[in-house]
Amino acid sequence: MSRDRRVMRRLPHEGVYARIGRSRVHGVGVLAIRDIPTGTLVFRGESEVVAWLSRAAVRRLTPAIRSLYEEFGMLWGDRIGVPPSLNMLSVGWYVNHSDRPNVVADERGRFRTLRRIRRGEELTADYRTFADEALPFRPRRIRGARTRPRFPGRA
């Protein structure tokens, strides 16, 4: 028997619960592709490495590049955290904001479900739980949606 057959390998889709899709909240969001149990670490296998830059350094960048940091980064104190390469924005970076979230970020920025999430439901987080300042947008109700919009112009 070949070594490949003896070694059990994890298939790329195993542990995948969600994908990027059209959001009812705002533009692009994260949608469950199957039911997700309470307490599940949703994006297991996603890189947890975060590059932290000072806000002062980000302000010195050109407007187009600066917007990547401002629109996708996690704000904390005088720093902004992003993936090591902004070409590596994985599914978790597209979670939209809600005042009634169904996922929460832990101290390492990993999302866990707060309750059972049904297939087709959008995953949302309360940004105020992992940013140290007021939201840079005003949450508003969207008819037929259970959650609130994310940053203007942001996925």
Side-chain angles (χ1 to χ4, degrees):
M1 180 178 268
S2 74
R3 178 168 167 73
D4 287 341
R5 288 194 174 181
R6 283 182 280 146
V7 176
M8 294 296 288
R9 294 184 182 210
R10 190 173 178 154
L11 295 172
H13 68 273
E14 291 181 36
V16 174
Y17 292 97
R19 63 169 296 211
I20 296 171
R22 186 178 201 147
S23 171
R24 292 182 67 199
V25 175
H26 179 79
V28 175
V30 178
L31 306 176
I33 60 170
R34 58 182 169 164
D35 290 352
I36 310 172
T38 303
T40 300
L41 183 61
V42 182
F43 306 112
R44 186 181 302 276
E46 183 175 83
S47 173
E48 297 175 6
V49 177
V50 175
W52 292 95
L53 283 82
S54 73
R55 290 188 189 198
V58 171
R59 280 191 296 270
R60 290 190 296 269
L61 299 171
T62 64
I65 301 299
R66 183 174 57 239
S67 71
L68 290 172
Y69 289 89
E70 293 171 344
E71 293 175 9
F72 288 101
M74 298 179 290
L75 309 174
W76 199 259
D78 65 347
R79 302 182 314 157
I80 298 177
V82 294
S85 167
L86 286 162
N87 283 329
M88 296 172 59
L89 288 170
S90 54
V91 176
W93 291 91
Y94 290 87
V95 171
N96 282 320
H97 171 77
S98 174
D99 287 340
R100 293 180 298 181
N102 52 23
V103 299
V104 63
D106 66 17
E107 67 283 349
R108 293 175 60 193
R110 298 174 304 176
F111 288 109
R112 286 194 185 278
T113 56
L114 292 169
R115 60 171 176 77
R116 179 180 178 205
I117 299 173
R118 298 194 183 276
R119 182 174 55 91
E121 187 177 349
E122 183 166 353
L123 281 66
T124 59
D126 186 339
Y127 289 178
R128 295 168 294 198
T129 63
F130 52 88
D132 67 343
E133 59 185 42
L135 296 174
F137 59 89
R138 183 174 177 200
R140 59 185 166 93
R141 292 191 182 272
I142 297 175
R143 186 172 296 178
R146 296 184 202 157
T147 55
R148 309 296 194 271
R150 197 171 175 168
F151 299 96
R154 185 171 175 181

